[in-house]
């Protein structure tokens, strides 16, 4: 029997390893920066590009797509060719994958601080970058699937199943969530509005966790645990059952991010039960990992690779128990919108994704450099810094989150809110924010030890660019003898991929299609009208500044919320919201009914310096909104794009939009002048500045439901809206 | 791969880059965990969605509101501030209650300072007043606020009874002439000296 000799490309592995560490440290540092900004709002000053709302998406994107993303490629490009006994199909595609992905990250690092932001969590990048992500992801997929096609190992190992599911599902998620109509080169509006947009967004957002932070790392776990422990995988059957159940069930769980919102009850219920059913499939992975270590625990005491793997898998088990618990209505009612969720995701991100990534780095680096790890002791120190750092991060967030949430809900014995001022509940947990920053710092210090250790390891060794291996080609590709069905499937990558696609499509289709098509799911409210051009501009500024990172626009039907904020939010109020801005976290109060609550001058002073109206506020100041001009040039293109996604602006209105915008801005400015605000600290209040649009938008929020508001009344345009009952008929 | 004696019969014949797999049973407790969560899920969907036995979130909310109304009464209108007889109480209990609201739930302190010395808002301890200094005028200032200037009705706190506003005003009366540290100077263009009533005796 002929034996083929071939070479694995270690250069691409090395590149992805360096990128993982590099972007990891950057992502962590941006995280520490935003954490410090919650304790010292004036940290780094009030500079637009460095404000909290713009840096927070940069942190999440950097950690998910730059750190974990490069770690995924690192793991796949190392393990996949070895499991297939074939080099990667195309070194050219590998390189395009690498450099393309880094270019996408750099474009995020530039565009997010500049305020190019779609507001959709973990999908904040604007449409040209979305297209680039699609191209690079497909190139990765082709390279992976072709490598599998050319393999010398007849059956696909479980790690590869998870890699395939990752590729297929992330492609579907990204494509569906990013359907948007461009207005300008760096501004687009999603075709989905309000409830539908929220559902699609959290179907995507939740499954970004599932198929970007879970399934690829499970694949990585299935390769590196048995290799590092030198023990056989505990149960092949468990692999099969937990793989298929995990990918089938996970895709349904997204609506658990929207419990007690305006999402229809049946969709919420599906989110709850599918999350609950996920406990066992998730734990299946943890069990298969930990039970593989039976009889090898003495090695765990010594080997930092195994230590990181074990703490990672354990954190995964804890986080995937916590997730379903948080999906139960009355638990969610307390935990949602609070810092508890931030703690929950960091348990997974720091220890599961972080732990597995560092385990890989400590495993692969000595091997591709043909040497020993420079210092096992230093790696162990890193392990403790990482673990303690995560504990110091997660526990204060749990504590602070629950404390604050209970304060939001507390009533006095007379039936009044015990803490009517939201700010009091924020100040209560600032010490917890400080502890969290300590935890994050420990974690970063540990990572710096890793950089040093890995650098010294590489220095001491000699890099093996091409690693030789040999294997027999597959001799009997079709004959399967009396193999069981799944065993046969494992030798048929095309069928396997197709079946994966079918399995992951079911949940999304069942949840989305009725929400979009059945009218009763979003009852119409006739008094709800589209935004005026000035309000559109204000909303776009709200999005660019990332206000939704700290403020929700979704009042849940709880007495503690309707007392504090006003009437609970209805699905029909969001039909013109492309995108929805419901938010996921309340670092500040909900804003859905902020319209009309304060005078324009209050917003002016508050945006210029939040502490002038709310002493002790940790909201960043936005002084630049008083000096930067709003974007009036592209308002026609934006009105046209919004009409294209379904907002009923009259044909031709885009040409009149600018005049309407200016007229409304003039009126607001005049009112400000009349109430004594011609200037603040020598800065003139002028009608072409961003602050005027911001005020217009904030004053519009949540008021339509109260009656016959006609936002276009008094504006110069002849006809703003095309639908019959929305025409300006009150203008007599 | 290290394989122990008792595992050899469970070892599957294939190998991937040296990785072997055992054919162990799935742990029974794990399988049961899976079955139980499926059963609970089916029950949950039947209970809340199919049979409609459980409350919807709106029904839950309406019940919560009804219970609160039964316990605390509806939001009935209180006597208008204009016709209420505003007095200064010298009862220690009233003054302490007023102080607690001033420095707590009603948030007066966030703008006027813990000693009433004035911060963003004016000094409340001197003899200079912008919107009148009779107990009635002060009470009305609290109740209506000056939203254009940043002070909301009831000092950004929740709506409270006239009796409670009176307790705050009574506490404010005790602050007159206390000359706290860092007292804010009055705005000569707007403030006027207080000449009559319980707030006139300071200086």
């Amino acid at each position: 029997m002929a034996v083929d000799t071939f070479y694995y490309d270690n250069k691409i592995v090395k590149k992805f390893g360096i990128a993982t560490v590099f972007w990891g440290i950057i992502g962590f540092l941006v995280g520490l920066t935003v954490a410090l900004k919650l304790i010292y709002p004036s940290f780094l000053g009030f500079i637009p590009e460095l404000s909290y709302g713009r840096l927070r998406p940069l942190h999440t994107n950097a950690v998910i797509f730059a750190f974990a993303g490069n770690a995924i490629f690192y793991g796949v490009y190392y393990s996949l060719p070895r499991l297939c006994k074939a080099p990667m199909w195309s070194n050219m595609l590998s390189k395009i994958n690498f450099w393309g992905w880094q270019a996408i990250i750099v474009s995020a690092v530039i565009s997010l601080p500049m305020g190019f932001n779609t507001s959709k969590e973990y999908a904040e990048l604007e449409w040209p970058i979305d297209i680039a992500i699609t191209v690079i992801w497909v190139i990765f997929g082709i390279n992976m699937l072709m490598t599998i096609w050319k393999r010398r190992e007849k059956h696909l190992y479980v790690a590869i199943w998870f890699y395939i599911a990752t590729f297929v599902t992330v492609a579907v998620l990204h494509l569906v969530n990013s359907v948007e109509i461009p207005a300008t080169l760096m501004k687009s509006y999603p075709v989905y509005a309000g409830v539908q947009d929220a559902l699609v967004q959290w179907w995507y957002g939740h499954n970004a966790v599932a198929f970007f932070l879970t399934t690829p790392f499970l694949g990585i776990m299935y390769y590196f645990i048995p290799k590092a422990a030198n023990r056989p995988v505990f149960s092949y059957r468990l692999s099969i059952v937990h793989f298929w159940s995990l990918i089938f069930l996970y895709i349904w769980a997204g609506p658990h991010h929207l419990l007690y919102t305006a999402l229809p009850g049946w969709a919420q219920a599906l989110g709850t039960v599918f999350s609950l059913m996920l406990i066992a499939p998730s734990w299946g992975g943890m069990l298969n990992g930990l039970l593989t270590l039976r009889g090898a625990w003495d090695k765990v005491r010594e080997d930092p690779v195994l230590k990181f793997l074990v703490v990672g898998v354990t954190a995964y088990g804890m986080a995937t128990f916590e997730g379903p618990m948080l999906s139960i209505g009355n638990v969610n009612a307390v935990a949602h919108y609070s810092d508890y969720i931030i703690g929950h995701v960091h348990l997974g991100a720091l220890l599961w994704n972080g732990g597995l990534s560092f385990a890989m780095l400590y495993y692969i680096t000595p091997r591709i450099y043909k040497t020993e790890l420079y210092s096992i002791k230093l790696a162990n120190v890193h392990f403790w810094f990482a673990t303690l750092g995560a504990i110091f991060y997660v526990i204060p967030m749990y504590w602070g989150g629950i404390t604050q949430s209970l304060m939001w809900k507390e009533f006095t014995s007379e039936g009044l809110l015990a803490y009517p001022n939201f700010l009091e509940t924020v100040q209560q947990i600032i010490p917890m924010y400080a502890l969290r920053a300590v935890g994050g710092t420990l974690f970063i210090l540990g990572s710096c030890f890793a950089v040093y250790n890995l650098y010294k390891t590489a220095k001491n060794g000699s890099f093996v660019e091409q690693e030789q291996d040999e294997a027999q080609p597959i001799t009997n590709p079709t004959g399967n003898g009396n193999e069981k069905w799944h065993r046969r499937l494992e030798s048929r990558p095309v069928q396997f991929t197709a079946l994966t696609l079918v399995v992951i499509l079911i949940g999304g289709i069942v949840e989305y299609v009725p929400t979009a098509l059945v009218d009763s799911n979003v009852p119409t409210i006739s008094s709800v009208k589209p935004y005026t051009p000035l309000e559109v501009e204000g909303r776009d500024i709200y999005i660019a500044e990332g206000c939704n990172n700290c403020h929700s626009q979704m009042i849940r039907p709880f007495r503690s919320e309707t007392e504090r904020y006003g009437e609970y939010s209805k699905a029909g109020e969001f039909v013109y919201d492309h995108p929805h801005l419901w938010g996921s976290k309340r670092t500040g109060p909900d804003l859905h009914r902020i319209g009309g609550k304060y005078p324009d001058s209050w917003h002016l002073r508050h945006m210029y310096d939040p502490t002038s109206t709310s002493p002790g506020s940790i909201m960043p100041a936005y002084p630049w909104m008083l000096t930067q001009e709003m974007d009036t040039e592209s308002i026609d293109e934006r009105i046209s794009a919004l009409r294209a996604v379904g907002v009923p602006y009259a044909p031709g209105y885009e040409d009149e939009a600018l005049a309407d915008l200016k007229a409304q801005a003039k009126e607001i400015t005049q009112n400000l002048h009349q109430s004594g605000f011609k200037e603040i600290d020598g800065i003139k209040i002028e009608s072409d500045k961003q602050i005027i649009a911001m005020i217009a938008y904030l004053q519009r929020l949540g008021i339509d439901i109260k009656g016959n508001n006609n936002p276009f009344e008094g504006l110069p345009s002849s006809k703003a809206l095309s639908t019959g009952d929305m025409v300006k008929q009150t203008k007599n | 791969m290290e394989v122990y004696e008792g595992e050899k019969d469970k070892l599957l014949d294939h190998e991937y880059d040296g990785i072997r797999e055992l054919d162990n049973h799935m742990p029974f407790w794990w399988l049961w965990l899976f079955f139980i969560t499926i059963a609970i899920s089916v029950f949950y969907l039947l209970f809340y969605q199919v049979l409609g036995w459980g409350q919807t979130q709106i029904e839950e909310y309406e019940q919560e509101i009804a219970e609160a109304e039964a316990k605390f009464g509806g939001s009935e209108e209180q006597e208008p501030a204009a016709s209420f007889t505003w007095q200064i109480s010298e009862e220690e209990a009233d003054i302490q209650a007023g102080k607690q609201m001033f420095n707590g739930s009603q948030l007066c302190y966030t703008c006027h300072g813990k000693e009433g010395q004035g911060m963003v808002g004016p000094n409340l301890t001197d003899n200079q007043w912008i919107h009148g200094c009779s107990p009635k005028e002060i009470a009305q200032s609290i109740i209506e606020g000056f939203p254009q200037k940043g002070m909301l009705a009831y000092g950004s706190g929740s709506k409270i009874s006239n009796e409670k506003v009176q307790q705050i005003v009574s506490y404010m009366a005790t602050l007159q002439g206390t000359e706290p540290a860092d007292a804010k100077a009055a705005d000569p263009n707007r403030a006027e000296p207080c000449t009559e009533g319980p707030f006139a005796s300071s200086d």
Side-chain angles (χ1 to χ4, degrees), chain A residues 85 223 227 230-231 233-236 260-261 280 295 299 413-414 421 487 559 562 598-599 601 605 615, chain B residues 1-2 4 7 14 17 20 22 24 30 57 60-61 64 68 72 107 110 120 147-149 152 164:
Chain A
K85 288 285 167 232
Y223 182 81
K227 289 294 274 187
N230 198 29
R231 290 277 294 138
V233 173
F234 169 71
S235 169
Y236 166 67
Y260 286 108
T261 67
K299 289 181 198 154
S413 54
E414 288 142 321
N421 185 8
R487 200 82 187 106
R559 180 167 151 250
T562 54
Y598 301 94
S601 58
R605 295 175 63 218
Chain B
M1 291 266 135
E2 281 176 60
Y4 297 119
E7 293 173 341
H14 50 255
D17 196 30
R20 305 291 298 267
L22 298 170
N24 276 309
W30 178 84
Q57 63 184 32
E60 273 178 35
Y61 172 69
E64 191 188 7
F72 305 112
L107 312 172
T110 57
V120 183
Q148 294 293 337
K149 299 289 176 197
L152 300 187
K164 292 201 159 181

Side-chain angles (χ1 to χ4, degrees), chain A residues 133-324:
Chain A
I133 293 170
T134 312
V135 171
I136 297 301
W137 192 256
V138 168
I139 283 174
F140 161 64
I142 292 171
N143 207 9
M144 175 170 83
L145 293 174
M146 287 308 292
T147 306
I148 293 170
W149 187 249
K150 300 271 184 194
R151 72 197 183 284
R152 292 187 182 81
E153 190 70 67
K154 186 169 162 190
H155 294 100
L156 302 179
Y157 176 56
V158 51
I160 300 175
W161 313 345
F162 279 104
Y163 298 156
I164 291 175
T166 300
F167 165 66
V168 169
T169 318
V170 170
V172 171
L173 291 168
H174 175 68
L175 285 175
V176 174
N177 189 46
S178 306
V179 184
E180 53 216 359
I181 300 283
T184 64
L185 182 62
M186 283 302 276
K187 177 73 195 168
S188 65
Y189 298 104
V191 294
Y192 319 102
V195 173
Q196 284 99 343
D197 188 53
L199 181 62
V200 172
Q201 157 58 30
W202 286 112
W203 167 78
Y204 165 87
H206 179 74
N207 288 300
V209 177
F211 289 90
F212 207 83
L213 299 178
T214 303
T215 52
F217 285 87
L218 282 170
I220 284 164
M221 176 198 87
Y222 271 112
Y223 182 81
F224 289 93
I225 284 191
K227 289 294 274 187
N230 198 29
R231 290 277 294 138
V233 173
F234 169 71
S235 169
Y236 166 67
R237 269 182 257 183
L238 182 58
S239 300
I240 296 172
V241 174
H242 102 92
F243 169 77
W244 289 107
S245 55
L246 188 88
I247 66 165
F248 172 71
L249 296 172
Y250 231 132
I251 207 86
W252 295 72
H256 71 208
H257 289 256
L258 299 167
L259 299 187
Y260 286 108
T261 67
L263 185 74
W266 61 266
Q268 293 186 31
L270 288 177
T272 296
V273 299
F274 277 88
S275 304
L276 197 62
M277 287 188 281
L278 261 173
I279 300 176
S282 303
W283 275 10
M286 170 185 71
L287 288 175
N288 230 357
L290 292 180
L291 292 176
T292 297
L293 295 167
R294 287 195 310 178
W297 285 96
D298 51 319
K299 289 181 198 154
V300 177
R301 271 194 294 277
E302 287 148 22
D303 184 0
V305 172
L306 282 173
K307 276 186 199 177
F308 272 108
L309 287 169
V310 166
V311 81
V313 172
T314 310
Y316 170 68
M318 291 196 282
T320 53
F321 178 70
E322 200 174 47

Side-chain angles (χ1 to χ4, degrees), chain A residues 273-497:
Chain A
V273 299
F274 277 88
S275 304
L276 197 62
M277 287 188 281
L278 261 173
I279 300 176
S282 303
W283 275 10
M286 170 185 71
L287 288 175
N288 230 357
L290 292 180
L291 292 176
T292 297
L293 295 167
R294 287 195 310 178
W297 285 96
D298 51 319
K299 289 181 198 154
V300 177
R301 271 194 294 277
E302 287 148 22
D303 184 0
V305 172
L306 282 173
K307 276 186 199 177
F308 272 108
L309 287 169
V310 166
V311 81
V313 172
T314 310
Y316 170 68
M318 291 196 282
T320 53
F321 178 70
E322 200 174 47
M325 294 301 113
L326 290 168
S327 308
I328 297 170
N330 45 11
V331 180
N332 190 276
V334 176
H336 192 50
Y337 293 133
S338 85
D339 282 303
Y340 192 100
I341 306 302
I342 313 299
H344 167 65
V345 299
H346 280 84
L347 175 63
L350 294 174
L351 291 182
W352 162 243
N353 301 113
L356 260 61
S357 301
F358 284 115
M360 280 195 291
L361 287 160
Y362 285 129
Y363 178 92
I364 295 174
T365 309
R367 280 171 176 79
I368 60 175
Y369 281 93
K370 278 243 174 293
T371 182
E372 298 283 305
L373 187 63
Y374 168 70
S375 167
I376 290 182
K377 201 170 175 187
L378 190 58
N380 281 330
V381 173
H382 170 207
F383 170 79
W384 284 110
F385 268 73
T387 308
L388 285 174
I391 291 170
F392 269 98
Y393 188 108
V394 171
I395 291 177
M397 287 289 95
Y398 286 173
W399 191 283
I402 297 297
T403 302
Q404 190 182 24
S405 182
L406 293 179
M407 287 173 86
W408 292 339
K409 288 174 178 291
E410 190 173 335
F411 281 95
T412 64
S413 54
E414 288 142 321
L416 301 169
L417 286 172
Y419 303 97
N421 185 8
F422 191 92
L423 200 46
E424 256 186 292
T425 71
V426 176
Q427 281 165 341
Q428 181 74 31
I429 63 164
I430 285 179
M432 295 296 143
Y433 283 156
L435 271 181
R436 175 259 293 267
V438 171
T441 306
L442 288 177
F443 192 88
I444 295 171
L445 282 176
S447 309
C448 293
F449 299 155
V451 173
Y452 178 74
N453 204 355
L454 294 168
Y455 173 74
K456 291 298 265 186
T457 306
K459 267 257 152 159
N460 289 348
S462 60
F463 182 57
V464 184
E465 286 194 0
Q466 303 291 329
E467 191 176 318
Q468 187 183 319
D469 199 358
E470 50 192 31
Q472 290 174 351
I474 299 171
T475 48
N476 182 15
T478 47
N480 286 302
N482 46 10
E483 284 178 352
K484 290 192 175 150
W485 69 274
H486 198 274
R487 200 82 187 106
R488 278 205 294 274
L489 188 64
E490 288 162 30
S491 60
R492 293 178 164 140
V494 177
Q495 285 94 324
F496 195 100
T497 307

Side-chain angles (χ1 to χ4, degrees), chain A residues 510-528:
Chain A
V510 171
E511 284 175 354
Y512 181 73
V513 172
T515 311
L517 299 184
V518 181
D519 287 341
S520 67
N521 281 316
V522 183
T524 321
I525 302 171
S526 64
S527 61
V528 173

